[in-house]
């Protein structure tokens, strides 16, 4: 620690900070901010709740607002929009709770009994009790089993069944429950959305009143809001600079715990499997890359053979071909060789990199030929010259290539998409992250959190290997 | 233990011929020094003997066996490089063991050989160090040790002393000579420094532009140089050469016929007037034990004199110098000794 303080309090020869020191430290600080701010933004956003992310919240910290619930209930009378206030947190944040918290700490069954009418229906849908109650009803009344599967059937399959006939023997409440479950007209899934509770001056009455708003955008002059005392009155515009909002710090750790414990609603996200695949691809591919590239570089730098320059130019020329041009070719190669759907299809096509060959060749050129000749006089085979002399001496360059390869492979999205996009079990972490952005669901809160998790290994690799880049082998033993 | 024979060895790079057919015989136990100016091909010749360079034409025979197509690893020679070429990532012990491990030698024997070598070279204390942590002289010893542990039939040295400072160079020279006495192996030593050649060699091979100019013992080369090149190369300071025509008549009188160039070594000149040469002194160097005088003759040719005592001769003074008749060297038009 004292070394760090000493480092940051150095001045240019004098005791006091000089002009140059100010510029140097200022420049350092600016560079630090440019690099650090996006990372800090990512870290802080990864612990924001789904609600905040959906509202495109621009605060740096995960400050949650006071919320109210805007419910939309569909019934025979049409749809009714109303606002439920003063709900306990666990009800508002129900969808963001962990499964065990839902069951252990709370009792939704007892809770909804405190309500009646449309509020009851809205909460029943929100707390996930519709399907539970409906299944109990089907069981108790000995209704046919296919009713349970009916909501998830394809429209064509639904034609073969007629649920209406079974509704006749039921009472009004039971009909409503089953209809909501089966999504029969005029019932639709009830809407239940959290909104932000703000206070503002009512332009009509000039009194402070509470409003519910969808999102707060201070860039706009007015905000669309719904008066809580008269939700049916429709949207009114209130000036955005006069609103009063309550915020409190509420990091949403479930962003991390849910995906890591395979607890993501609506999809099978196996973080351990994804990470395992990525680790396997990264390690194996890096080993193969280092081996192939260093052997090629050894031959190009230390042997004289016909066409040496041509080979080198061809290798370098491939640098000029954009990776995206090769997608179709790689796809064909991978599928023809039967590697499609296996992790080897990700590993092998990228094993030899022109960058790596070039970098290692240039480094190996600096290893004196006399060392190789000394080894030859020492009766070393060519393989042992490579493995015991050149490879260890090229270690600083090889460490750089290894670090680059680890970062390339870990962050690679294109090769996994080409090779394994049809095989879920072979998804690497980057493909898995892509999965959070589905056609119907966007779970950005999980995606941000898992992005942070996926950054950990590359960060660690860099922290532990960077000293190889900087130190290298200081003395060459020559002269 | 082995003798070595080169038969009409030639080396050509693309179209440039650097070795023009060398015949040479080095017998068992001999300390042979290849000497010549830089770029004369002596290192190339050594590397061809080692097997590091291909032979364009001719034959290299070790112990009666032609080794042209045998790789460096299998010739059983050991080489000490100019830059030492120690493996920088290995400790001294690993450096010494590397060659033996490649020969699949047993561990006990490797240890034994290393112990012998390090005792001989007095590097026991550095076994665990890396070459980067050693001084120049210590690295030099390790490089020699790496050759010794191999127990090769012939040792090859490629200017091994050129990276040492003057004092250490003299000390190591003596040690190398002692090492040769002790081991008794054939050694081939390449240098551009004629002092090293004179002090160490049993046999000196003077090479110039890919041709052997003269082979012989050090004193033989000094006393009876075969041509102007050898005469000028061996001996320090260099032999003085004067054009025959510019000589005074009394010197011309005892010259053999066909003489074109007259040569005399600086140490054979003294102040006197038996065979008088007039000299104008341009520079005087006093070394305490010796004095060097540099001057110009009447015909504006440079001449240097080595006196083995101190002198009070001043710059710009004119003196008469002389020499013994038998110390004069005479060369014909082609530079060959008469």
């Amino acid at each position: 620690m004292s070394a760090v303080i000493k480092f940051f309090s150095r001045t240019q020869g004098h005791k006091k900070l000089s002009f140059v020191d100010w510029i140097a430290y200022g420049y350092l600080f600016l560079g630090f901010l440019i690099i650090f701010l996006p990372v800090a933004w990512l870290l802080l956003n990864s612990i924001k709740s789904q609600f905040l992310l959906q509202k495109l919240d621009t605060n740096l910290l995960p400050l949650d607002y006071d919320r109210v619930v805007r419910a939309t209930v569909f019934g025979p009378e049409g749809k009714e929009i109303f606002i439920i206030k003063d709900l306990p947190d666990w009800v508002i944040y129900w969808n963001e709770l962990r499964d065990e918290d839902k069951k252990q700490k709370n009792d939704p069954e007892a809770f909804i009994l405190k309500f009646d009418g449309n509020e009851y229906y809205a909460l029943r849908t929100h707390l996930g009790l519709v399907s539970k109650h409906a299944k109990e009803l089907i069981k108790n009344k000995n209704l046919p089993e296919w009713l349970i599967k009916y909501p998830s059937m394809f429209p064509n399959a639904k034609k073969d069944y007629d649920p209406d006939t079974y509704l006749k023997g039921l009472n009004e409440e039971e009909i409503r429950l089953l209809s909501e479950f089966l999504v029969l007209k005029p019932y639709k899934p009830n809407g239940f959305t959290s909104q932000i509770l703000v206070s503002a001056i009512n332009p009509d009455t000039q009194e402070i009143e509470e409003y519910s708003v969808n999102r707060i955008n201070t860039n706009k002059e007015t905000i669309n809001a719904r008066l809580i005392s008269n939700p049916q009155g429709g949207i009114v515009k209130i000036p955005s600079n006069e609103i009063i909002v309550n915020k409190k710090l509420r990091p949403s750790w479930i962003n991390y715990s849910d995906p890591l414990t395979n607890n993501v609603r609506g999809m099978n996200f196996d973080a351990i499997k994804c990470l395992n695949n990525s680790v396997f691809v990264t390690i194996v591919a890096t080993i193969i890359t280092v081996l192939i590239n260093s052997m090629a570089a050894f031959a190009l730098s230390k042997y004289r053979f016909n066409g040496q320059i041509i080979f080198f130019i061809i290798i370098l020329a491939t640098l000029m071909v954009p990776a995206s041009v090769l997608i179709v070719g790689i796809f064909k190669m991978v599928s023809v060789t039967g590697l499609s759907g296996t992790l080897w299809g990700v590993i092998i096509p990228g094993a030899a990199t022109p960058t790596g060959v070039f970098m290692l060749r240039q480094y190996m050129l600096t290893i004196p030929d006399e060392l190789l000749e000394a080894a030859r006089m020492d009766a070393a085979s060519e393989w042992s010259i490579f493995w015991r002399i050149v490879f260890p001496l090229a270690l600083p360059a090889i460490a750089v290539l290894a670090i680059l390869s680890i970062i390339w492979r870990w962050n690679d999205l294109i090769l996994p998409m080409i090779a394994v996009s049809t095989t879920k079990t072979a998804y690497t972490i980057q493909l898995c992250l892509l999965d959070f952005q589905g056609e119907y669901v966007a779970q950005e809160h999980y995606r941000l959190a898992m992005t942070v998790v996926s950054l950990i290994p590359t960060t660690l690799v860099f922290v532990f290997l960077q000293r190889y880049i900087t130190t290298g082998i200081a003395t060459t033993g020559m002269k | 233990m082995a003798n070595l024979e080169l038969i009409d060895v030639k080396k050509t790079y693309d179209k440039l011929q650097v070795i023009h057919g060398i015949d040479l015989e080095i017998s068992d136990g001999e300390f042979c020094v290849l000497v010549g100016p830089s770029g004369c091909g002596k290192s190339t010749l050594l590397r061809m003997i080692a097997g590091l360079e291909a032979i364009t034409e001719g034959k290299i025979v070790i112990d009666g066996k032609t080794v042209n197509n045998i790789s460096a690893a299998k010739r059983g020679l050991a080489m000490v490089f100019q830059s030492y070429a120690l493996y920088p990532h290995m400790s001294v012990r690993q450096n010494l063991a590397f060659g033996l491990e490649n020969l699949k030698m047993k561990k006990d024997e490797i240890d034994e050989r290393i112990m012998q070598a390090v005792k001989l070279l007095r590097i026991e204390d550095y076994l665990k160090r890396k070459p980067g942590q050693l001084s120049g002289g210590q690295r030099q010893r390790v490089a020699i040790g790496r050759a010794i542990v191999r127990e090769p039939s012939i040792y090859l040295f490629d200017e091994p002393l050129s990276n040492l400072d003057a004092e250490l160079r003299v000390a190591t020279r003596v040690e190398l000579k002692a090492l040769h006495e002790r081991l008794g192996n054939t050694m081939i030593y390449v240098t551009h420094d004629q002092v090293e050649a004179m002090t160490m060699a049993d046999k000196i091979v003077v090479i110039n532009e890919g041709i052997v100019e003269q082979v012989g013992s050090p004193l033989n080369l000094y006393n009876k140089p075969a041509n102007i090149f050898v005469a000028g190369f061996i001996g320090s300071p260099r032999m003085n050469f004067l054009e025959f025509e510019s000589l005074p008549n009394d010197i011309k009188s005892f010259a053999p016929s066909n003489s074109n160039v007259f040569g005399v070594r600086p140490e054979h000149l003294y102040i006197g007037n038996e065979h008088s040469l007039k000299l104008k002194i341009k520079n005087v160097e006093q070394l305490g034990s010796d004095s060097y005088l540099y001057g110009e003759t009447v015909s504006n040719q440079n001449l240097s004199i080595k006196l083995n005592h101190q002198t009070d001769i001043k710059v710009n003074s004119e003196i008469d110098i002389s020499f013994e008749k038998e110390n004069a060297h005479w060369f014909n038009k082609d530079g060959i000794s008469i």
Side-chain angles (χ1 to χ4, degrees):
Chain A
M1 192 62 206
S2 64
V4 175
I5 291 171
K6 196 180 162 202
F7 179 78
F8 280 113
S9 58
R10 276 185 187 149
T11 56
Q12 193 204 28
H14 319 288
K15 297 258 154 132
K16 277 176 81 182
L17 282 171
S18 71
F19 176 65
V20 178
D21 289 323
W22 280 109
I23 292 183
Y25 280 112
Y27 180 72
L28 268 180
F29 186 67
L30 183 73
F32 171 75
L33 284 186
I34 289 172
I35 294 166
F36 181 72
L37 275 184
V39 179
W41 182 90
L42 171 66
L43 287 174
L44 290 167
N45 271 268
S46 75
I47 49 171
K48 280 186 182 174
S49 64
Q50 184 176 20
F51 172 74
L52 283 180
L53 289 171
Q54 282 172 347
K55 303 296 175 200
L56 302 178
D57 172 69
T58 51
N59 286 311
L60 209 51
L61 293 171
L63 293 168
D64 215 344
Y65 304 101
D66 281 350
R67 296 195 206 168
V68 290
V69 161
R70 195 196 77 182
T72 314
V73 171
F74 296 89
E77 313 86 24
K79 86 174 174 182
E80 190 198 348
I81 297 173
F82 56 96
I83 281 166
I84 314 176
K85 270 179 72 180
D86 299 327
L87 286 171
D89 276 357
W90 67 266
V91 178
I92 293 177
Y93 296 115
W94 179 257
N95 287 333
E96 294 166 27
L97 292 183
R98 280 173 250 189
D99 272 3
E100 58 261 41
D101 287 351
K102 285 179 183 172
K103 280 163 205 154
Q104 282 166 12
K105 296 184 191 158
N106 312 295
D107 188 0
E109 298 268 8
F111 180 78
I112 57 169
L113 291 178
K114 294 180 203 162
F115 296 85
D116 54 9
N118 279 343
E119 290 189 354
Y120 173 85
Y121 298 131
L123 282 166
R124 187 171 68 180
T125 308
H126 176 57
L127 296 177
L129 294 173
V130 169
S131 65
K132 191 183 169 211
H133 288 182
K135 281 170 190 168
E136 282 168 7
L137 180 73
I138 291 165
K139 206 174 165 197
N140 292 339
K141 298 275 175 183
N142 283 325
L143 298 175
E145 286 277 317
W146 59 259
L147 279 172
I148 294 175
K149 289 179 195 156
Y150 186 80
S152 55
M153 285 178 186
F154 287 111
N156 278 344
K158 280 184 181 174
K159 282 179 194 157
D160 300 339
Y161 300 97
D162 182 17
D164 284 341
T165 51
Y166 297 97
L167 295 176
K168 280 168 190 157
L170 305 173
N171 67 28
E172 203 177 324
E173 277 300 307
E174 286 165 346
I175 290 171
R176 178 166 187 131
L177 174 67
L178 202 59
S179 305
E180 279 186 17
F181 177 65
L182 300 176
V183 202
L184 299 177
K185 278 177 187 169
Y187 298 102
K188 285 183 191 169
N190 295 327
F192 192 96
T193 54
S194 290
Q195 294 208 311
I196 302 164
L197 177 67
V198 301
S199 304
I201 296 169
N202 186 334
D204 296 337
T205 62
Q206 296 302 319
E207 278 172 30
I208 292 180
E209 288 202 65
E210 286 181 321
Y211 290 88
S212 81
V213 301
N214 190 32
R215 65 174 285 230
I216 294 174
N217 185 351
T218 44
N219 292 334
K220 287 189 180 163
E221 272 182 30
T222 57
I223 295 177
N224 291 339
R226 201 179 278 272
L227 193 61
I228 287 185
S229 53
N230 179 21
Q232 297 285 41
I235 304 285
V236 293
K237 287 189 188 299
I238 53 173
S240 66
N241 52 358
E242 283 172 22
I243 56 170
I244 304 154
V245 195
N246 265 335
K247 296 171 183 176
K248 64 174 183 260
L249 203 61
R250 222 185 105 102
S252 165
W253 299 114
I254 57 153
N255 295 0
Y256 287 88
S257 55
D258 278 357
L260 290 176
T261 52
N262 195 2
N263 223 346
V264 176
R265 244 178 326 108
M267 59 182 280
N268 182 21
F269 180 81
D270 188 347
I272 304 302
K273 181 87 192 160
C274 296
L275 287 171
N276 269 345
N277 286 339
S278 264
V279 167
F280 178 80
V281 166
T282 304
I283 291 179
V284 174
T286 299
I287 290 172
I288 296 177
T289 303
V290 163
L291 262 184
I292 291 183
N293 287 4
S294 59
M295 283 158 89
F298 174 57
L300 285 171
S301 63
K302 291 298 174 198
Y303 290 137
R304 301 281 160 269
F305 52 89
N306 289 338
Q308 187 173 26
I309 305 288
I310 304 270
F311 270 118
F312 188 56
I313 290 173
I314 289 174
I315 288 172
L316 277 191
T318 59
L319 271 176
M320 284 176 254
V321 182
S324 39
V325 172
L326 302 175
I327 288 177
V328 175
I330 292 176
F331 174 76
K332 285 203 159 185
M333 274 160 53
V334 165
S335 56
V336 163
T337 48
L339 293 174
S340 180
T342 72
L343 290 176
W344 293 105
V346 185
I347 292 168
I348 292 174
T353 65
T355 327
V357 174
F358 177 67
M359 198 170 72
L360 292 182
R361 173 189 180 264
Q362 296 309 102
Y363 192 87
M364 285 179 184
L365 284 177
T366 68
I367 297 174
D369 284 343
E370 274 201 345
L371 281 180
L372 274 70
E373 288 173 350
R376 272 183 204 127
M377 293 302 294
D378 267 344
S381 64
E382 293 303 309
W383 171 252
S384 111
I385 288 175
F386 167 71
W387 194 239
R388 294 196 54 191
I389 308 288
V390 174
F391 193 86
L393 288 178
L395 220 48
I398 287 171
V400 175
L401 176 65
I403 292 170
L404 286 178
S405 165
I406 287 171
I407 293 171
W408 289 335
R409 290 322 191 106
W410 188 270
N411 293 338
D412 190 16
L413 180 65
I414 289 181
L415 268 180
M417 273 181 120
I418 296 171
V420 296
S421 58
T422 51
T423 316
K424 270 254 167 167
T425 53
Y427 268 26
T428 61
I429 184 73
Q430 307 301 339
L431 274 182
C432 291
L433 288 180
L434 210 61
D435 245 15
F436 285 121
Q437 179 79 63
E439 199 172 347
Y440 305 110
V441 280
Q443 315 207 61
E444 289 297 338
H445 57 311
Y446 291 145
R447 177 139 76 151
L448 283 169
M450 287 304 100
T451 304
V452 171
V453 169
S454 82
L455 287 179
I456 295 171
T458 42
T459 311
L460 289 182
V461 160
F462 196 79
V463 167
F464 286 111
L465 287 187
Q466 52 94 13
R467 70 194 174 94
Y468 281 103
I469 305 179
T470 50
T471 56
I473 293 175
T475 50
T476 63
M478 305 291 290
K479 302 250 157 144
Chain B
M1 300 277 166
N3 56 353
L4 173 84
E5 210 178 333
L6 308 186
I7 301 163
D8 195 26
V9 170
K10 289 179 186 166
K11 175 74 186 176
T12 310
Y13 289 114
D14 291 329
K15 277 170 194 162
L16 181 74
Q17 189 162 13
V18 290
I19 306 276
H20 300 269
I22 284 185
D23 291 293
L24 189 63
E25 216 179 317
I26 298 165
S27 48
D28 188 17
E30 212 166 24
F31 198 117
C32 172
V33 175
L34 307 183
V35 71
S38 343
C40 71
K42 56 190 190 300
S43 280
T44 309
L45 189 64
L46 190 77
R47 291 162 55 80
M48 283 158 78
I49 296 170
L52 297 173
E53 295 275 354
I55 300 155
T56 313
E57 226 177 280
K59 261 206 264 184
I60 293 180
V61 182
I62 297 176
D63 269 346
K65 204 167 117 191
T66 305
V67 295
N68 284 20
N69 295 322
I70 295 178
S71 69
K74 291 185 179 146
R75 289 191 191 183
L77 315 179
M79 184 153 166
V80 177
F81 290 84
Q82 182 176 11
S83 59
Y84 316 141
L86 299 177
Y87 312 122
H89 57 296
M90 296 184 187
S91 69
V92 168
R93 163 179 281 282
Q94 287 168 326
N95 262 285
L96 296 178
F98 183 69
L100 304 180
E101 282 166 9
N102 289 329
L103 296 172
K104 309 256 184 297
M105 195 175 280
K106 284 200 188 100
K107 214 174 170 307
D108 311 351
E109 205 183 339
I110 294 179
D111 286 343
E112 199 188 312
R113 284 202 188 184
I114 290 178
M115 283 326 290
Q116 277 175 6
V118 297
K119 264 188 203 146
L120 188 69
L121 296 164
R122 301 192 304 284
I123 47 174
E124 296 101 317
D125 298 342
Y126 317 125
L127 277 179
K128 286 192 180 131
R129 294 210 200 155
K130 296 261 169 75
Q133 299 163 309
L134 300 178
S135 70
Q138 289 163 347
R139 282 183 217 173
Q140 173 69 66
R141 288 158 186 279
V142 176
I144 294 172
R146 195 167 62 180
I148 289 178
V149 292
R150 292 277 313 278
E151 295 183 359
S153 52
I154 301 175
Y155 287 85
L156 308 174
F157 295 92
D158 188 5
E159 309 211 18
L161 305 185
S162 57
N163 286 325
L164 298 179
D165 57 54
E167 204 179 327
L168 206 52
R169 198 179 305 175
V170 174
T172 315
R173 211 161 70 193
V174 175
E175 272 181 44
L176 265 180
K177 186 71 183 153
L179 191 72
H180 176 239
E181 298 291 332
R182 189 156 170 181
L183 297 171
N185 287 46
T186 313
M187 292 190 179
I188 303 175
Y189 188 106
V190 162
T191 181
H192 62 269
D193 180 356
Q194 54 93 19
V195 179
E196 276 176 29
M198 294 294 286
T199 50
M200 300 168 85
D202 296 326
K203 178 198 266 178
I204 295 182
V205 180
V206 182
I207 298 174
N208 186 31
E209 293 179 351
I211 297 166
V212 174
E213 298 279 0
Q214 193 175 0
V215 181
S217 71
L219 289 184
N220 190 23
L221 257 58
Y222 179 82
N223 294 330
K224 292 186 178 130
N227 51 38
I228 285 197
F229 178 80
V230 177
F233 194 79
I234 302 288
S236 169
R238 219 167 160 262
M239 185 186 275
N240 295 304
F241 296 108
L242 297 176
E243 279 166 29
F244 182 78
E245 293 307 323
S246 70
L247 291 172
N249 285 334
D250 86 282
I251 297 178
K252 275 185 188 166
S253 64
F254 58 81
S257 56
N258 298 332
S259 289
N260 189 44
V261 175
F262 158 72
V264 62
R265 295 193 184 277
E267 56 269 36
H268 294 148
L269 291 170
Y270 55 88
I271 296 163
N273 48 16
E274 288 100 88
H275 309 294
S276 179
L277 279 165
K278 288 239 183 293
L279 195 67
K280 188 175 185 191
I281 300 299
K282 292 282 178 194
N283 193 12
V284 180
E285 286 176 358
Q286 301 265 21
L287 301 183
S289 62
D290 303 321
S291 313
Y292 293 113
L293 307 178
Y294 301 94
E296 267 182 13
T297 62
V298 186
S299 51
N300 288 337
Q301 297 184 79
N302 289 328
L303 202 69
S304 57
I305 310 163
K306 184 186 175 195
L307 303 173
N308 57 1
H309 52 79
Q310 297 177 7
T311 177
D312 52 3
I313 294 170
K314 295 278 179 299
V315 174
N316 287 333
S317 57
E318 285 191 17
I319 56 170
D320 284 326
I321 53 169
S322 184
F323 55 92
E324 304 287 349
K325 240 195 240 174
E326 62 269 26
N327 286 333
H329 298 270
W330 302 97
F331 306 94
N332 67 12
K333 267 196 186 115
D334 302 322
I336 307 296
S337 282
I338 301 167

